[in-house]
Amino acid sequence: MIQYSRNLLLILISITSFMKGQIVVDYASNTPLPKDYDKTGNYYLKDVNNYLNNFTGTWEYVNGNEKFQIVLTKITKHHFNIPDMNRNVYRDGISFKYKKFINNTLVFESPTKDYPSFNSVDGKLLRGNTRDYGRVTVTVNYPQAIGGGVFIEGGAYFNADCRIELLPSVLTLNGGAEAPKIKFDLYLLGSRLGENQNPAYNGMPTFSIPNNVIMTKLP
């Protein structure tokens, strides 16, 4: 009965939205969409199952006197309207920012974004991309023997792909549960590997922020 009521509610939402000229689609479903769905402004890819709610909040990793926090915020019905890319669509998602502390003193806080760059289709794995503000490239030129010119333009930041995996709950002896935990992973794909080859960071870790770590949700 509960499932029937839920399905009926989703149908009514979709009908109402269609009558208003906008079509609501569960982005976690396999609903076939027109090839130009993200160009018309008529589609809203909605987090119908509230999968994103599993990830919202502040998560922390502690290493000695250093702390690394990420803040995940749910943004609903964000309008991606980018004329130069012929993109016009509404969707839910997660925005990402991070903070670094030393001896409990905030030493860096990334800018707050008003648009989502992460999403999840199952409530267990969040995928997206973020920027490593501690890695600014320097200009790298081609050798003069092959004509010179700019190989890597200075001033750009590392843009890393990211996976955030929600770990299974752990029960305590008194019948409760430990604070939720996630696994935080950064990686570079494709042409982004060139960013890691920048001579400014020879011999240094790929990222200036912790990677492949377990983080705990703060109250």
Side-chain angles (χ1 to χ4, degrees), residues 17-70:
S17 299
F18 183 80
M19 293 175 62
K20 294 181 178 180
Q22 190 170 70
I23 303 170
V24 175
V25 177
D26 178 2
Y27 70 70
S29 72
N30 294 320
T31 303
L33 296 173
K35 289 183 178 180
D36 65 344
Y37 81 93
D38 59 349
K39 299 177 175 60
T40 64
N42 294 330
Y43 284 83
Y44 171 25
L45 278 61
K46 182 178 176 64
D47 179 26
V48 172
N49 299 293
N50 288 319
Y51 286 146
L52 299 178
N53 295 6
N54 294 345
F55 301 95
T56 57
T58 300
W59 305 78
E60 182 176 78
Y61 166 72
V62 179
N63 182 23
N65 67 338
E66 298 182 357
K67 292 195 299 186
F68 173 66
Q69 294 179 355
I70 63 173

Side-chain angles (χ1 to χ4, degrees), residues 136-142 149-156 198-200:
V136 182
T137 64
V138 297
T139 299
V140 178
N141 295 305
Y142 287 106
V150 175
F151 172 56
I152 299 177
E153 184 69 38
N198 196 293

Side-chain angles (χ1 to χ4, degrees), residues 5-6 27 40 48 50 54 58 61 71 73 84 87 97 107-108 113 129 149-150 157 167 188 200 205 207:
S5 300
R6 178 179 175 277
Y27 70 70
T40 64
V48 172
N50 288 319
N54 294 345
T58 300
Y61 166 72
V71 182
T73 304
D84 292 344
R87 192 176 185 192
K97 71 179 296 182
V107 295
F108 181 80
K113 297 180 178 179
N129 59 80
V150 175
Y157 293 103
L167 299 180
L188 298 173
F207 303 106

Side-chain angles (χ1 to χ4, degrees), residues 192-212:
R192 296 179 184 178
L193 290 175
E195 297 169 330
N196 187 34
Q197 297 166 2
N198 196 293
Y201 303 107
N202 283 345
M204 298 176 63
T206 302
F207 303 106
S208 70
I209 56 180
N211 185 26
N212 192 24

Side-chain angles (χ1 to χ4, degrees), residues 106-128:
L106 179 66
V107 295
F108 181 80
E109 181 175 359
S110 66
T112 300
K113 297 180 178 179
D114 59 359
Y115 61 88
S117 58
F118 283 76
N119 227 309
S120 174
V121 297
D122 59 8
K124 299 176 182 178
L125 184 64
L126 191 69
R127 292 178 180 267

Side-chain angles (χ1 to χ4, degrees), residues 54 59 165-172 175-182:
N54 294 345
W59 305 78
E165 179 184 359
L166 185 67
L167 299 180
S169 298
V170 177
L171 300 179
T172 60
E178 293 183 0
K181 289 181 171 56
I182 57 172

